[in-house]
Amino acid sequence: MVMTHYSNEKMNHYSVYGINISTEFDLNELIVSTGKTDLTILKAKVPNFLTGTTQSCAFFQAKENEFLTRIEHVGGFYAIEGNKIICEPDQEAEYMSIKMYLYGFLLPVILMQRGRFPMHGSCIDVDGKSIVISGQSGVGKSSLAIAFRMAGYKLVSDDLIALNDDWHDDIYVHYGFPVQKITVDTAKFLNVDLVGLERIPGEDKSIIPLTTEFQKNVIPLTALFEIVTYDEEEVKIKELFGGEKLRCIIANTYNVEMIGTIGLAQEHFSYGTELAKKIKVFRLSRPIHGFTLEYQMENIIKEIKKIDV
Amino acid sequence: MSKNLELSDRIIRREDISTTTIDGELGMMSEEKGKYYTLDFIGTRVWELIEQSLTVDQLVVILMKEYDVDRLTCEVDLIELLEKLLKEELIKVI
């Protein structure tokens, strides 16, 4: 019989991306929850090297189910078997930076170790059907997601979108962080006041906390919209099929360039293929200039209304 | 490696490439390279055909029978496709 003993250190319990977390760290951006723990995040020493690594590059090392990284001025992080993260913060590390690496880098690795490959973009609940808004950085996906939220639609997840495990019955998105990140440019563009909002260190972004505008209920995922810009005057929407559809799903995977390096390309390929069979994918082309957010929303809502769940 | 393909070259697809079909089009992945590829409808047909080794010329003849295309266009397009596949090491010349 194994007995695990924790010191008197208070353990916090959270849930994000469908993962229940127990940790001594204070992660106050997360939703508090008490479920059976899937992931423990501990403060302890991390190894200097992984022995027998199959993959390594400048700033991380990986082998099956193990991932080690050391970020200068932040600390060392070690993710194991999708159920444990060990974090060894540097002395001079800013706490916010540690959290940003945990959220944006290590949690995605944990998801990947669990065979779940998150999408990159924003997820919005459009009248009981959730949609993913994706696209290359700078194409205006955040602006569109914020515009949706300002129009009264709820946010399910921002930046990283984690799907449920078992797609047998239904495919849905687990809620993420109850926040929406916004850049100074987007804030100006949408007339959003940034006063009093927390800033992300080293980035030109602020954090908008959400309460009632956040959707914690399970909403089936119906479609992915990839935003692209083009040289025409009107917003245009087109459903994608076949190779284009698969390419779109693969390309809009979170940290896609990392997946091959940690040795999970094969799993990712099957995952993307299965997903392509389950959801619709559209390309939304928007004029590179001008204010077209409302037309973009209109077009998306029109397509969503046509889909039967 | 960068040699141009000729009509008499005999090619075959590599066996260790993972493939999948979506809406009749082929998605492929090379684990070795960690890269993903997709083929359009005709590219998918070519991939099917080169499960067994064929010369480029034999492929041209088959495609001309199946699709409404003149010999020159067919040759040019096919060789362009095959050279791409060869460059990405998805097929080999035997």
Side-chain angles (χ1 to χ4, degrees), chain A residues 241-246 250 265-266 268-269 273 276-277, chain B residues 18-23 25 27-29 31 34 36 38:
Chain A
F241 299 96
E244 269 196 309
K245 183 178 189 181
L246 182 63
I250 298 271
Q266 187 71 57
H268 178 222
F269 183 66
T273 305
K277 290 173 186 163
Chain B
S18 303
T19 61
T20 182
T21 312
I22 291 175
D23 306 321
E25 292 183 355
M28 298 191 279
M29 201 205 67
E31 187 151 27
Y36 311 88
T38 55

PDB file of all heavy atoms in Angstrom, chain A residues 241-246 250 265-266 268-269 273 276-277, chain B residues 18-23 25 27-29 31 34 36 38:
ATOM      1  N   PHE A 241     -13.109  21.579 -47.266  1.00  0.00           N
ATOM      2  CA  PHE A 241     -13.227  20.122 -47.271  1.00  0.00           C
ATOM      3  C   PHE A 241     -11.869  19.501 -47.573  1.00  0.00           C
ATOM      4  O   PHE A 241     -10.955  20.180 -48.047  1.00  0.00           O
ATOM      5  CB  PHE A 241     -14.240  19.665 -48.329  1.00  0.00           C
ATOM      6  CG  PHE A 241     -15.631  20.187 -48.092  1.00  0.00           C
ATOM      7  CD1 PHE A 241     -16.072  21.338 -48.729  1.00  0.00           C
ATOM      8  CD2 PHE A 241     -16.477  19.530 -47.208  1.00  0.00           C
ATOM      9  CE1 PHE A 241     -17.352  21.828 -48.496  1.00  0.00           C
ATOM     10  CE2 PHE A 241     -17.758  20.007 -46.973  1.00  0.00           C
ATOM     11  CZ  PHE A 241     -18.194  21.163 -47.614  1.00  0.00           C
ATOM     12  N   GLY A 242     -11.786  18.201 -47.318  1.00  0.00           N
ATOM     13  CA  GLY A 242     -10.620  17.424 -47.744  1.00  0.00           C
ATOM     14  C   GLY A 242      -9.307  17.941 -47.190  1.00  0.00           C
ATOM     15  O   GLY A 242      -9.201  18.306 -46.024  1.00  0.00           O
ATOM     16  N   GLY A 243      -8.314  17.955 -48.054  1.00  0.00           N
ATOM     17  CA  GLY A 243      -6.972  18.347 -47.665  1.00  0.00           C
ATOM     18  C   GLY A 243      -6.909  19.721 -47.021  1.00  0.00           C
ATOM     19  O   GLY A 243      -6.216  19.922 -46.031  1.00  0.00           O
ATOM     20  N   GLU A 244      -7.677  20.660 -47.592  1.00  0.00           N
ATOM     21  CA  GLU A 244      -7.675  22.014 -47.039  1.00  0.00           C
ATOM     22  C   GLU A 244      -8.198  22.039 -45.612  1.00  0.00           C
ATOM     23  O   GLU A 244      -7.711  22.784 -44.760  1.00  0.00           O
ATOM     24  CB  GLU A 244      -8.585  22.916 -47.893  1.00  0.00           C
ATOM     25  CG  GLU A 244      -7.892  23.620 -49.024  1.00  0.00           C
ATOM     26  CD  GLU A 244      -8.751  24.764 -49.548  1.00  0.00           C
ATOM     27  OE1 GLU A 244      -9.947  24.524 -49.852  1.00  0.00           O
ATOM     28  OE2 GLU A 244      -8.240  25.885 -49.642  1.00  0.00           O
ATOM     29  N   LYS A 245      -9.222  21.225 -45.378  1.00  0.00           N
ATOM     30  CA  LYS A 245      -9.825  21.153 -44.056  1.00  0.00           C
ATOM     31  C   LYS A 245      -8.823  20.594 -43.044  1.00  0.00           C
ATOM     32  O   LYS A 245      -8.626  21.158 -41.965  1.00  0.00           O
ATOM     33  CB  LYS A 245     -11.068  20.257 -44.131  1.00  0.00           C
ATOM     34  CG  LYS A 245     -11.841  20.142 -42.847  1.00  0.00           C
ATOM     35  CD  LYS A 245     -13.082  19.275 -43.052  1.00  0.00           C
ATOM     36  CE  LYS A 245     -13.985  19.328 -41.843  1.00  0.00           C
ATOM     37  NZ  LYS A 245     -15.175  18.476 -42.010  1.00  0.00           N
ATOM     38  N   LEU A 246      -8.170  19.509 -43.431  1.00  0.00           N
ATOM     39  CA  LEU A 246      -7.186  18.885 -42.549  1.00  0.00           C
ATOM     40  C   LEU A 246      -6.023  19.838 -42.277  1.00  0.00           C
ATOM     41  O   LEU A 246      -5.582  20.001 -41.146  1.00  0.00           O
ATOM     42  CB  LEU A 246      -6.679  17.575 -43.160  1.00  0.00           C
ATOM     43  CG  LEU A 246      -5.685  16.792 -42.305  1.00  0.00           C
ATOM     44  CD1 LEU A 246      -6.331  16.350 -40.998  1.00  0.00           C
ATOM     45  CD2 LEU A 246      -5.154  15.573 -43.057  1.00  0.00           C
ATOM     46  N   ILE A 250      -4.761  21.124 -38.600  1.00  0.00           N
ATOM     47  CA  ILE A 250      -3.379  20.878 -38.170  1.00  0.00           C
ATOM     48  C   ILE A 250      -2.664  22.204 -37.896  1.00  0.00           C
ATOM     49  O   ILE A 250      -2.026  22.386 -36.872  1.00  0.00           O
ATOM     50  CB  ILE A 250      -2.596  20.091 -39.256  1.00  0.00           C
ATOM     51  CG1 ILE A 250      -3.242  18.718 -39.489  1.00  0.00           C
ATOM     52  CG2 ILE A 250      -1.114  19.988 -38.917  1.00  0.00           C
ATOM     53  CD1 ILE A 250      -2.776  17.587 -38.646  1.00  0.00           C
ATOM     54  N   ALA A 265       4.109  13.498 -33.276  1.00  0.00           N
ATOM     55  CA  ALA A 265       3.541  13.857 -34.578  1.00  0.00           C
ATOM     56  C   ALA A 265       2.488  12.857 -35.048  1.00  0.00           C
ATOM     57  O   ALA A 265       1.430  13.235 -35.552  1.00  0.00           O
ATOM     58  CB  ALA A 265       4.654  13.992 -35.605  1.00  0.00           C
ATOM     59  N   GLN A 266       2.779  11.592 -34.853  1.00  0.00           N
ATOM     60  CA  GLN A 266       1.861  10.549 -35.305  1.00  0.00           C
ATOM     61  C   GLN A 266       0.506  10.644 -34.600  1.00  0.00           C
ATOM     62  O   GLN A 266      -0.549  10.618 -35.236  1.00  0.00           O
ATOM     63  CB  GLN A 266       2.513   9.187 -35.023  1.00  0.00           C
ATOM     64  CG  GLN A 266       1.764   8.012 -35.579  1.00  0.00           C
ATOM     65  CD  GLN A 266       1.871   7.963 -37.092  1.00  0.00           C
ATOM     66  OE1 GLN A 266       2.962   7.927 -37.633  1.00  0.00           O
ATOM     67  NE2 GLN A 266       0.742   7.984 -37.768  1.00  0.00           N
ATOM     68  N   HIS A 268      -0.716  13.241 -33.138  1.00  0.00           N
ATOM     69  CA  HIS A 268      -1.362  14.486 -33.531  1.00  0.00           C
ATOM     70  C   HIS A 268      -2.069  14.359 -34.871  1.00  0.00           C
ATOM     71  O   HIS A 268      -3.168  14.858 -35.069  1.00  0.00           O
ATOM     72  CB  HIS A 268      -0.321  15.607 -33.584  1.00  0.00           C
ATOM     73  CG  HIS A 268      -0.878  16.916 -34.036  1.00  0.00           C
ATOM     74  ND1 HIS A 268      -0.225  17.733 -34.911  1.00  0.00           N
ATOM     75  CD2 HIS A 268      -2.036  17.531 -33.738  1.00  0.00           C
ATOM     76  CE1 HIS A 268      -0.965  18.793 -35.142  1.00  0.00           C
ATOM     77  NE2 HIS A 268      -2.070  18.711 -34.443  1.00  0.00           N
ATOM     78  N   PHE A 269      -1.411  13.668 -35.794  1.00  0.00           N
ATOM     79  CA  PHE A 269      -1.982  13.476 -37.127  1.00  0.00           C
ATOM     80  C   PHE A 269      -3.314  12.720 -37.048  1.00  0.00           C
ATOM     81  O   PHE A 269      -4.307  13.118 -37.648  1.00  0.00           O
ATOM     82  CB  PHE A 269      -0.975  12.709 -37.995  1.00  0.00           C
ATOM     83  CG  PHE A 269      -1.406  12.508 -39.406  1.00  0.00           C
ATOM     84  CD1 PHE A 269      -1.547  13.587 -40.267  1.00  0.00           C
ATOM     85  CD2 PHE A 269      -1.647  11.237 -39.896  1.00  0.00           C
ATOM     86  CE1 PHE A 269      -1.927  13.402 -41.585  1.00  0.00           C
ATOM     87  CE2 PHE A 269      -2.035  11.037 -41.210  1.00  0.00           C
ATOM     88  CZ  PHE A 269      -2.177  12.118 -42.057  1.00  0.00           C
ATOM     89  N   THR A 273      -7.090  14.230 -37.863  1.00  0.00           N
ATOM     90  CA  THR A 273      -7.945  13.551 -38.830  1.00  0.00           C
ATOM     91  C   THR A 273      -9.321  13.265 -38.240  1.00  0.00           C
ATOM     92  O   THR A 273     -10.350  13.510 -38.865  1.00  0.00           O
ATOM     93  CB  THR A 273      -7.298  12.214 -39.252  1.00  0.00           C
ATOM     94  OG1 THR A 273      -5.998  12.483 -39.733  1.00  0.00           O
ATOM     95  CG2 THR A 273      -8.095  11.541 -40.332  1.00  0.00           C
ATOM     96  N   ALA A 276     -11.285  16.412 -37.939  1.00  0.00           N
ATOM     97  CA  ALA A 276     -11.781  16.869 -39.243  1.00  0.00           C
ATOM     98  C   ALA A 276     -13.076  16.158 -39.623  1.00  0.00           C
ATOM     99  O   ALA A 276     -13.901  16.695 -40.359  1.00  0.00           O
ATOM    100  CB  ALA A 276     -10.714  16.645 -40.315  1.00  0.00           C
ATOM    101  N   LYS A 277     -13.249  14.939 -39.120  1.00  0.00           N
ATOM    102  CA  LYS A 277     -14.465  14.202 -39.443  1.00  0.00           C
ATOM    103  C   LYS A 277     -15.631  14.637 -38.568  1.00  0.00           C
ATOM    104  O   LYS A 277     -16.781  14.318 -38.854  1.00  0.00           O
ATOM    105  CB  LYS A 277     -14.225  12.697 -39.271  1.00  0.00           C
ATOM    106  CG  LYS A 277     -13.301  12.132 -40.340  1.00  0.00           C
ATOM    107  CD  LYS A 277     -12.948  10.679 -40.053  1.00  0.00           C
ATOM    108  CE  LYS A 277     -11.899  10.198 -41.062  1.00  0.00           C
ATOM    109  NZ  LYS A 277     -11.231   8.979 -40.595  1.00  0.00           N
TER     110      LYS A 277
ATOM    111  N   SER B  18       2.300   7.778 -43.062  1.00  0.00           N
ATOM    112  CA  SER B  18       0.923   7.623 -42.586  1.00  0.00           C
ATOM    113  C   SER B  18      -0.010   8.425 -43.474  1.00  0.00           C
ATOM    114  O   SER B  18       0.281   9.567 -43.808  1.00  0.00           O
ATOM    115  CB  SER B  18       0.767   8.167 -41.172  1.00  0.00           C
ATOM    116  OG  SER B  18       1.656   7.537 -40.323  1.00  0.00           O
ATOM    117  N   THR B  19      -1.122   7.828 -43.839  1.00  0.00           N
ATOM    118  CA  THR B  19      -2.061   8.560 -44.683  1.00  0.00           C
ATOM    119  C   THR B  19      -3.475   8.451 -44.127  1.00  0.00           C
ATOM    120  O   THR B  19      -3.790   7.558 -43.342  1.00  0.00           O
ATOM    121  CB  THR B  19      -2.092   7.997 -46.116  1.00  0.00           C
ATOM    122  OG1 THR B  19      -2.508   6.639 -46.049  1.00  0.00           O
ATOM    123  CG2 THR B  19      -0.750   8.104 -46.784  1.00  0.00           C
ATOM    124  N   THR B  20      -4.302   9.369 -44.558  1.00  0.00           N
ATOM    125  CA  THR B  20      -5.693   9.375 -44.159  1.00  0.00           C
ATOM    126  C   THR B  20      -6.491  10.007 -45.289  1.00  0.00           C
ATOM    127  O   THR B  20      -5.933  10.769 -46.081  1.00  0.00           O
ATOM    128  CB  THR B  20      -5.876  10.181 -42.864  1.00  0.00           C
ATOM    129  OG1 THR B  20      -7.237  10.133 -42.487  1.00  0.00           O
ATOM    130  CG2 THR B  20      -5.478  11.626 -43.057  1.00  0.00           C
ATOM    131  N   THR B  21      -7.763   9.676 -45.371  1.00  0.00           N
ATOM    132  CA  THR B  21      -8.569  10.276 -46.436  1.00  0.00           C
ATOM    133  C   THR B  21      -9.706  11.091 -45.839  1.00  0.00           C
ATOM    134  O   THR B  21     -10.415  10.603 -44.968  1.00  0.00           O
ATOM    135  CB  THR B  21      -9.163   9.188 -47.345  1.00  0.00           C
ATOM    136  OG1 THR B  21      -8.114   8.299 -47.690  1.00  0.00           O
ATOM    137  CG2 THR B  21      -9.750   9.788 -48.609  1.00  0.00           C
ATOM    138  N   ILE B  22      -9.839  12.314 -46.292  1.00  0.00           N
ATOM    139  CA  ILE B  22     -10.937  13.169 -45.851  1.00  0.00           C
ATOM    140  C   ILE B  22     -11.622  13.734 -47.085  1.00  0.00           C
ATOM    141  O   ILE B  22     -10.967  14.362 -47.922  1.00  0.00           O
ATOM    142  CB  ILE B  22     -10.421  14.308 -44.958  1.00  0.00           C
ATOM    143  CG1 ILE B  22      -9.937  13.718 -43.628  1.00  0.00           C
ATOM    144  CG2 ILE B  22     -11.513  15.327 -44.688  1.00  0.00           C
ATOM    145  CD1 ILE B  22      -9.299  14.705 -42.728  1.00  0.00           C
ATOM    146  N   ASP B  23     -12.918  13.501 -47.192  1.00  0.00           N
ATOM    147  CA  ASP B  23     -13.685  13.951 -48.360  1.00  0.00           C
ATOM    148  C   ASP B  23     -12.993  13.540 -49.664  1.00  0.00           C
ATOM    149  O   ASP B  23     -12.933  14.316 -50.612  1.00  0.00           O
ATOM    150  CB  ASP B  23     -13.876  15.480 -48.345  1.00  0.00           C
ATOM    151  CG  ASP B  23     -14.494  15.974 -47.048  1.00  0.00           C
ATOM    152  OD1 ASP B  23     -15.387  15.291 -46.524  1.00  0.00           O
ATOM    153  OD2 ASP B  23     -14.064  17.038 -46.555  1.00  0.00           O
ATOM    154  N   GLU B  25      -9.901  13.244 -50.293  1.00  0.00           N
ATOM    155  CA  GLU B  25      -8.539  13.762 -50.495  1.00  0.00           C
ATOM    156  C   GLU B  25      -7.598  13.219 -49.430  1.00  0.00           C
ATOM    157  O   GLU B  25      -8.006  12.931 -48.312  1.00  0.00           O
ATOM    158  CB  GLU B  25      -8.539  15.297 -50.465  1.00  0.00           C
ATOM    159  CG  GLU B  25      -9.264  15.885 -51.648  1.00  0.00           C
ATOM    160  CD  GLU B  25      -9.211  17.407 -51.686  1.00  0.00           C
ATOM    161  OE1 GLU B  25      -8.676  18.027 -50.737  1.00  0.00           O
ATOM    162  OE2 GLU B  25      -9.718  17.956 -52.648  1.00  0.00           O
ATOM    163  N   GLY B  27      -4.479  13.056 -46.812  1.00  0.00           N
ATOM    164  CA  GLY B  27      -3.565  13.749 -45.910  1.00  0.00           C
ATOM    165  C   GLY B  27      -2.439  12.783 -45.602  1.00  0.00           C
ATOM    166  O   GLY B  27      -2.659  11.588 -45.480  1.00  0.00           O
ATOM    167  N   MET B  28      -1.226  13.295 -45.505  1.00  0.00           N
ATOM    168  CA  MET B  28      -0.078  12.422 -45.272  1.00  0.00           C
ATOM    169  C   MET B  28       0.811  13.004 -44.208  1.00  0.00           C
ATOM    170  O   MET B  28       0.866  14.220 -44.025  1.00  0.00           O
ATOM    171  CB  MET B  28       0.771  12.326 -46.539  1.00  0.00           C
ATOM    172  CG  MET B  28       0.050  11.738 -47.703  1.00  0.00           C
ATOM    173  SD  MET B  28       1.230  11.404 -49.000  1.00  0.00           S
ATOM    174  CE  MET B  28       1.383  13.007 -49.692  1.00  0.00           C
ATOM    175  N   MET B  29       1.512  12.125 -43.518  1.00  0.00           N
ATOM    176  CA  MET B  29       2.462  12.600 -42.552  1.00  0.00           C
ATOM    177  C   MET B  29       3.735  11.790 -42.603  1.00  0.00           C
ATOM    178  O   MET B  29       3.696  10.575 -42.676  1.00  0.00           O
ATOM    179  CB  MET B  29       1.908  12.501 -41.160  1.00  0.00           C
ATOM    180  CG  MET B  29       2.634  13.424 -40.240  1.00  0.00           C
ATOM    181  SD  MET B  29       2.553  12.890 -38.562  1.00  0.00           S
ATOM    182  CE  MET B  29       3.506  11.441 -38.689  1.00  0.00           C
ATOM    183  N   GLU B  31       6.650  10.856 -40.369  1.00  0.00           N
ATOM    184  CA  GLU B  31       7.078  10.916 -38.965  1.00  0.00           C
ATOM    185  C   GLU B  31       8.542  11.319 -38.886  1.00  0.00           C
ATOM    186  O   GLU B  31       8.948  12.076 -38.031  1.00  0.00           O
ATOM    187  CB  GLU B  31       6.867   9.562 -38.295  1.00  0.00           C
ATOM    188  CG  GLU B  31       7.134   9.630 -36.802  1.00  0.00           C
ATOM    189  CD  GLU B  31       6.304   8.626 -36.032  1.00  0.00           C
ATOM    190  OE1 GLU B  31       5.928   7.592 -36.594  1.00  0.00           O
ATOM    191  OE2 GLU B  31       6.042   8.871 -34.856  1.00  0.00           O
ATOM    192  N   GLY B  34       8.468  14.856 -39.373  1.00  0.00           N
ATOM    193  CA  GLY B  34       7.500  15.573 -38.550  1.00  0.00           C
ATOM    194  C   GLY B  34       6.723  16.598 -39.356  1.00  0.00           C
ATOM    195  O   GLY B  34       6.357  17.656 -38.866  1.00  0.00           O
ATOM    196  N   TYR B  36       3.515  17.528 -42.316  1.00  0.00           N
ATOM    197  CA  TYR B  36       2.220  17.106 -42.813  1.00  0.00           C
ATOM    198  C   TYR B  36       2.045  17.574 -44.253  1.00  0.00           C
ATOM    199  O   TYR B  36       2.549  18.623 -44.632  1.00  0.00           O
ATOM    200  CB  TYR B  36       1.095  17.726 -41.978  1.00  0.00           C
ATOM    201  CG  TYR B  36       1.281  17.562 -40.501  1.00  0.00           C
ATOM    202  CD1 TYR B  36       1.993  18.496 -39.770  1.00  0.00           C
ATOM    203  CD2 TYR B  36       0.739  16.471 -39.841  1.00  0.00           C
ATOM    204  CE1 TYR B  36       2.169  18.348 -38.410  1.00  0.00           C
ATOM    205  CE2 TYR B  36       0.905  16.307 -38.490  1.00  0.00           C
ATOM    206  CZ  TYR B  36       1.627  17.249 -37.771  1.00  0.00           C
ATOM    207  OH  TYR B  36       1.795  17.094 -36.431  1.00  0.00           O
ATOM    208  N   THR B  38      -0.895  17.525 -47.757  1.00  0.00           N
ATOM    209  CA  THR B  38      -2.189  17.115 -48.282  1.00  0.00           C
ATOM    210  C   THR B  38      -2.114  17.099 -49.803  1.00  0.00           C
ATOM    211  O   THR B  38      -1.335  17.830 -50.411  1.00  0.00           O
ATOM    212  CB  THR B  38      -3.317  18.070 -47.852  1.00  0.00           C
ATOM    213  OG1 THR B  38      -2.968  19.403 -48.233  1.00  0.00           O
ATOM    214  CG2 THR B  38      -3.534  18.024 -46.353  1.00  0.00           C
TER     215      THR B  38
END
